[in-house]
Amino acid sequence: MTTGLTMVPPGVVLLAVAILVALLPRKAGHALGVGASAVTLAWMWLVPDGAHLQTEFLGFSTVLFNVDEFSRLMGIIFAVTGVVAVLYSYASEADGVQTGFAFSYLASSFGAVFAGDWLTLIFFWELMAVTSTLLVWYYRGKAVRAGYRYAIFHGIGGTLLMAAILQTYVAKGTFLFASVPGGPEVAGITAGLPAALAAVGIGVNVGFIGLHTWLPDTYPRPHIAASVFLCVFTTKTGVYGMYRAFPDGHIALAYMGGGMAVFGATYALFQNDMRRLLSYHIQSQVGYMIAGVGIGSALSQAGAFAHVFNHILYKGLLFMTAGVVIYRTGEESLKKLGGLARKMPITAGAFTIAALSIAGFPGFNGFVSKGIIISGSHYTFGAGPLPIGEFHTLEWLLLLGGIGTFMSFIKFGYYAFFHGSYDGDVEDANRGQSIAMIAVAALCVFYGIVVPTSPLASVIPGDLGLFSILPFDVTSDVVVEKVYKTYTVDHIVEGVVLGVLGLIGFALTKKPLSKLGRVPDIDAIYNRGIFYGGRGLVVGVTELWAGVDRAVMRTVAAAKRVGTDPQSTARRLGYGSADQPVVLRAGIGRSVFVLVALVSLALAVLLLA
């Protein structure tokens, strides 16, 4: 189906806008970015389901723009991010070129989530890696080295995903998704080796344990406004890609997601750098989404995409509040802050809403989406190897991650806003920053209370909330395996109990945590291993080549002596004496020369091969 709205993919249009944002005067460029994002948001609401733009590229059938329930949800929240993040960038003194790079990153993310085939998706996937790396590098300084490691990670991940896509093409004969006309009968990446390669390749983007270190390494380095963009697109596009690759889920993905939820929350608790703490919590929260995708039920996958939507809101807000603190104080470490709530009430209020949202406290959006995923882990997934009472293995992993989340953000708020005092005069967020933060904070509350079973459902229809754009109707027993009701006594008690346990946990660990230095992550092992292993490999290859070179040069020198003075060479080798004919000695010399030359030629061929 092709209409006027779908003739040009939004990613292509937004890439053109990104160029203009960088070239226009700063105020005009940022205004264009906000306006283009707002228009795109309206576009996402109006474009009909099933709309697609199909064409051919290099003889392959491709779909440059495909609209379904999943891509529409991603497009809506990406467009909302564009509006508030560009406004925040302008208010935080980002220049036009930086915002142009950020907007190109947004545009390439649009291209990826609206792709209708693997070939288009991998093109925009790699373009995302390029544009986000340029956004990091633009800040220079320490961001350059972090961006280099970031690029290596995503280059490897993209290569593995490309290998999986090519093997899937060999098996299916098409790059198209199963949901578009002409697509294959079986959706997703082909099982076996292609599926394993895709899981690891996409796992880089979503922060699988062991593949996650680019997150806390990179996101604290660039401009504060760049971090707001970075925290949104790569990991959430990764969740979308994981669903496209594994639409029926996979048990390994589900448990990896549970592990990520716990691991990320634990390492976040160890951090004192604000943006590093928030970066580890990206891994933790994305773990919930991956668990939802891995469970594979309609209920859990609806929860995964609800959490994608909500996470973008509260995580962007958390990076905005941390950015304002850095913008006003110049400090990154919680150890150098304190008592800012009295001087920065707007920022402190926005942080509190975002913290309660990410922790999943009743009344805020994280409570809604986390609850759906946890419900899916209990009702639509096996008990697993380590159930505890009525709690299934994956379920208690997700609940444990929730306690860690409460502990982390109690720590953040305690040291930054509510404990002690900060010396010196500090202003609150400026007007543009305040508008961006208040708007997102309002959405965090709105999507937390506007649900079908909310106490306010009689006042504000649930159709206006998040449930209306989810890919599956979680309130219908025809669609999902277990109907989900948000505000039940059990769910509210669960959310409150997690908060209380988080408060107790922080109180018990506050003193030992305050004495911690930087806790090494897994990259402390493999960064060192890669460095010394790489150096050893380079030195080894260099020395081997030098040894071969010396041997070859000695052989050439010997051959030269044979050719220039065959008589003395023959005598040294014991052939004849001075009274033997010169012809014989010369013949022997030529034979030795030919032999040496042949050996040298064979050695050279082996080296070149």
Side-chain angles (χ1 to χ4, degrees):
M1 177 178 179
T2 304
T3 69
L5 285 172
T6 62
M7 289 303 293
V8 180
V12 176
V13 176
L14 294 175
L15 281 171
V17 171
I19 296 172
L20 293 175
V21 169
L23 295 178
L24 288 172
R26 181 174 177 272
K27 187 173 184 178
H30 283 80
L32 175 62
V34 171
S37 299
V39 170
T40 305
L41 177 59
W43 189 0
M44 294 300 99
W45 284 107
L46 295 174
V47 65
D49 279 338
H52 65 280
L53 178 62
Q54 192 159 356
T55 184
E56 284 197 3
F57 177 71
L58 299 178
F60 300 109
S61 181
T62 59
V63 177
L64 303 181
F65 183 47
N66 179 58
V67 181
D68 60 15
E69 297 88 347
F70 296 92
S71 57
R72 184 193 299 279
L73 180 145
M74 301 296 292
I76 289 172
I77 193 58
F78 281 2
V80 170
T81 299
V83 173
V84 295
V86 173
L87 173 60
Y88 183 86
S89 295
Y90 179 75
S92 302
E93 301 180 8
D95 63 32
V97 175
Q98 176 181 298
T99 304
F101 281 134
F103 209 82
S104 66
Y105 178 34
L106 178 151
S108 53
S109 302
F110 261 96
V113 298
F114 280 100
D117 65 277
W118 287 108
L119 197 60
T120 303
L121 186 144
I122 193 66
F123 172 81
F124 283 104
W125 187 278
E126 294 296 84
L127 190 59
M128 282 172 53
V130 172
T131 52
S132 54
T133 300
L134 292 174
L135 176 60
V136 174
W137 276 344
Y138 185 74
Y139 197 60
R140 301 178 181 87
K142 293 181 179 179
V144 173
R145 192 170 184 178
Y148 177 70
R149 290 190 290 267
Y150 175 92
I152 290 175
F153 264 99
H154 290 286
I156 293 172
T159 301
L160 294 175
L161 178 57
M162 186 69 212
I165 291 170
L166 292 176
Q167 291 181 56
T168 298
Y169 176 82
V170 171
K172 297 183 177 182
T174 180
F175 287 114
L176 296 177
F177 293 160
S179 58
V180 303
E185 294 182 3
V186 180
I189 291 290
T190 300
L193 179 60
L197 293 173
V200 176
I202 301 171
V204 171
N205 277 40
V206 299
F208 275 4
I209 298 173
L211 304 176
H212 68 282
T213 54
W214 60 268
L215 262 167
D217 184 41
T218 307
Y219 286 4
R221 298 300 185 191
H223 191 280
I224 56 172
S227 292
V228 176
F229 282 93
L230 289 165
C231 77
V232 171
F233 299 111
T234 296
T235 49
K236 311 320 171 297
T237 304
V239 173
Y240 173 85
M242 196 70 80
Y243 167 75
R244 291 298 186 193
F246 301 93
D248 298 320
H250 196 287
I251 187 172
L253 294 179
Y255 283 116
M256 173 58 79
M260 289 166 63
V262 176
F263 184 94
T266 302
Y267 262 82
L269 192 59
F270 297 153
Q271 308 307 312
N272 291 307
D273 183 297
M274 290 183 289
R275 289 193 285 175
R276 190 171 173 85
L277 184 154
L278 295 179
S279 297
Y280 272 110
H281 259 297
I282 294 176
Q283 181 198 25
S284 177
Q285 294 299 300
V286 171
Y288 286 87
M289 305 167 205
I290 294 300
V293 171
I295 291 169
S297 66
L299 177 64
S300 66
Q301 291 182 341
F305 279 85
H307 210 51
V308 167
F309 189 98
N310 287 333
H311 178 268
I312 288 173
L313 292 174
Y314 58 65
K315 182 59 69 175
L317 181 56
L318 285 166
F319 269 96
M320 287 184 199
T321 57
V324 170
V325 171
I326 297 167
Y327 178 76
R328 290 304 192 188
T329 67
E331 300 291 350
E332 299 261 4
S333 175
L334 292 171
K335 290 184 175 181
K336 299 179 181 180
L337 299 170
L340 291 176
R342 293 184 292 274
K343 299 180 180 183
M344 306 177 72
I346 295 175
T347 305
F351 166 81
T352 302
I353 291 174
L356 291 171
S357 297
I358 192 174
F361 197 76
F364 300 89
N365 63 348
F367 173 73
V368 177
S369 50
K370 272 189 179 180
I372 301 174
I373 298 170
I374 292 172
S375 182
S377 71
H378 182 81
Y379 293 108
T380 67
F381 195 64
L386 296 172
I388 300 176
E390 296 183 356
F391 297 98
H392 294 183
T393 304
L394 180 58
E395 182 182 11
W396 66 253
L397 283 172
L398 299 177
L399 292 172
L400 188 60
I403 296 172
T405 302
F406 269 106
M407 291 175 66
S408 301
F409 285 97
I410 291 170
K411 172 184 175 177
F412 191 130
Y414 178 78
Y415 286 113
F417 294 106
F418 303 110
H419 170 70
S421 61
Y422 182 78
D423 296 332
D425 295 328
V426 180
E427 295 182 27
D428 206 344
N430 61 35
R431 182 182 301 174
Q433 291 169 331
S434 298
I435 292 172
M437 291 192 300
I438 291 171
V440 178
L443 290 175
C444 288
V445 175
F446 178 83
Y447 287 116
I449 61 176
V450 180
V451 293
T453 56
S454 166
L456 297 178
S458 59
V459 180
I460 307 175
D463 291 343
L464 298 176
L466 177 58
F467 281 35
S468 64
I469 58 173
L470 291 182
F472 303 108
D473 183 0
V474 298
T475 65
S476 171
D477 57 5
V478 177
V479 178
V480 296
E481 303 82 354
K482 174 72 176 179
V483 170
Y484 182 74
K485 296 180 180 180
T486 305
Y487 284 97
T488 64
V489 173
D490 288 345
H491 289 157
I492 294 172
V493 169
E494 181 182 275
V496 173
V497 168
L498 290 179
V500 171
L501 292 176
L503 185 62
I504 294 171
F506 175 71
L508 294 175
T509 59
K510 181 166 71 73
K511 188 172 182 179
L513 285 173
S514 66
K515 297 178 181 179
L516 277 180
R518 181 161 179 169
V519 179
D521 200 344
I522 190 171
D523 58 344
I525 298 173
Y526 65 64
N527 278 353
R528 186 178 295 273
I530 291 172
F531 174 77
Y532 287 108
R535 189 171 71 173
L537 180 63
V538 170
V539 171
V541 170
T542 302
E543 289 302 314
L544 175 62
W545 182 259
V548 171
D549 181 68
R550 287 192 295 269
V552 170
M553 294 309 295
R554 283 197 297 267
T555 302
V556 171
K560 183 179 179 181
R561 287 196 299 272
V562 170
T564 55
D565 191 3
Q567 185 173 343
S568 60
T569 302
R571 285 198 299 270
R572 282 199 304 271
L573 293 174
Y575 291 102
S577 58
D579 58 352
Q580 287 180 308
V582 176
V583 173
L584 176 61
R585 292 192 292 272
I588 294 172
R590 283 193 294 272
S591 299
V592 173
F593 179 82
V594 170
L595 178 62
V596 171
L598 288 173
V599 171
S600 300
L601 179 61
L603 182 61
V605 170
L606 288 174
L607 289 173
L608 290 175

